[in-house]
Amino acid sequence: MTADMTTDMIADPSGTRSPGEVLSWSRATLEPALRGAVDTLPGSLRHLVGYHFGWWDERGGPTGSAAGSGKAIRPALVFLASRAVGGDPLAAMPAAVAVELVHNFSLVHDDVMDGDHTRRHRRTVWSVFGVGPAILAGDALVTLAMDVLDGHPATSVLAAAVQDLLSGQSADLEFEDRNDVVLPECVRMAQQKTGALLGCSCAIGASFAGAEPVRVEHLRGFGEQLGLAFQVVDDLLGIWGDPAVTGKPVFSDLENRKKSLPVVAALTSGTPAGELLAERYATADEDLPGLAALIDEAGGRAWAHQQADALVEAALCDLRLADPAPGPAAELTGIADLVTHRDS
């Protein structure tokens, strides 16, 4: 897609791009500003963060691509939410950069906490540079996110989302050592861990465009419901996903004994398979395919698929209530379909 075509589609509310085109545009539009923000970091931290984003290798040499920089879903939501309420999406660039920095802060720290060696088909920051430097890199990312917003009222909204994210991450870790996790608290954890930042992305995108509070809140609701659906699908991929697609080892969540949504749905199903899963999940059982089969038999996989579909319907209801312009509404709907129909 050419730059002129993209500009025309932004200016014309009737122009609608495919989800892939939206995400490609979002990444390409975001990257110069994102690199500019990262360039303000001290040299050693800049090196770690740039490696995480896939811009250079562990020695600091350029990779020639940003294949490791992710899909830029959250910045895309910022841009589209701004456009949905009649704003100029490029005016919301600070918000787009900030949410992407926060998201990647969470990824860097999450890899440390989970001991994951692979992220986006590359070695994780901590596995290359060590735990201490990775923690500092994550800290630098979240601090830089607040700095990028430069005192805009959206700063407090993003800070609240970060607090929710941290609360969700804390609960996620706590669940690993508990055998009494119930589904409602697991859902709450996922809402905080993932839903809060996607909801924030939509809300601050609309806020940068000067939208009325009621429209901001409906767009936030769209993002929050979509974020929870995203996490449900992510949990499915953490068990059954293809490593070629996910960039992480097969059964990685089971190896870490994650109390993810499909797992907890199975554990609390009251079925014989769920009871057997509970016995084996509390041990060092290394038969990961066998554990996955029990989750499926106990209904955890089917529950997750049904839940994701219901959450998308709820998200689209909030989107309609926000009274968005037709073009961005169609594109937001396309993003919702894309993120909840990954290979699982």
Side-chain angles (χ1 to χ4, degrees), residues 52-53 68-71 74 100-116 118-120 124-126 134 138 141 165 169 193-194 197 230-231 234 248:
H52 170 74
F53 279 120
S69 61
K71 295 182 176 65
R74 290 153 190 82
E100 187 68 357
L101 290 169
V102 166
H103 172 54
N104 282 277
F105 138 74
S106 73
L107 297 183
V108 171
H109 279 192
D110 199 40
D111 289 338
V112 172
M113 290 184 288
D114 290 344
D116 285 340
T118 305
R119 165 79 62 184
R120 299 166 179 163
T124 51
V125 174
W126 80 265
L141 282 162
L165 188 157
Q169 289 278 37
K193 179 179 175 180
T194 306
L197 188 56
F230 183 99
Q231 186 60 55
D234 214 49
K248 300 181 74 172

Side-chain angles (χ1 to χ4, degrees), residues 1 9 15-25 80 330-331 334-335 338:
M1 175 179 294
M9 288 178 177
T16 303
R17 297 163 289 183
S18 71
E21 289 171 332
V22 170
L23 294 180
S24 293
W25 173 81
L80 291 178
E331 292 177 351
I335 295 293
L338 175 72

Side-chain angles (χ1 to χ4, degrees), residues 31 70 82 214 226 284 305 329:
E31 187 168 325
S82 175
V214 66
L226 179 60
H305 281 293

Side-chain angles (χ1 to χ4, degrees), residues 129-154:
F129 301 101
V131 169
I135 291 173
L136 292 174
D139 293 346
L141 282 162
V142 73
T143 304
L144 183 59
M146 301 305 167
D147 188 49
V148 164
L149 289 176
D150 193 27
H152 188 279

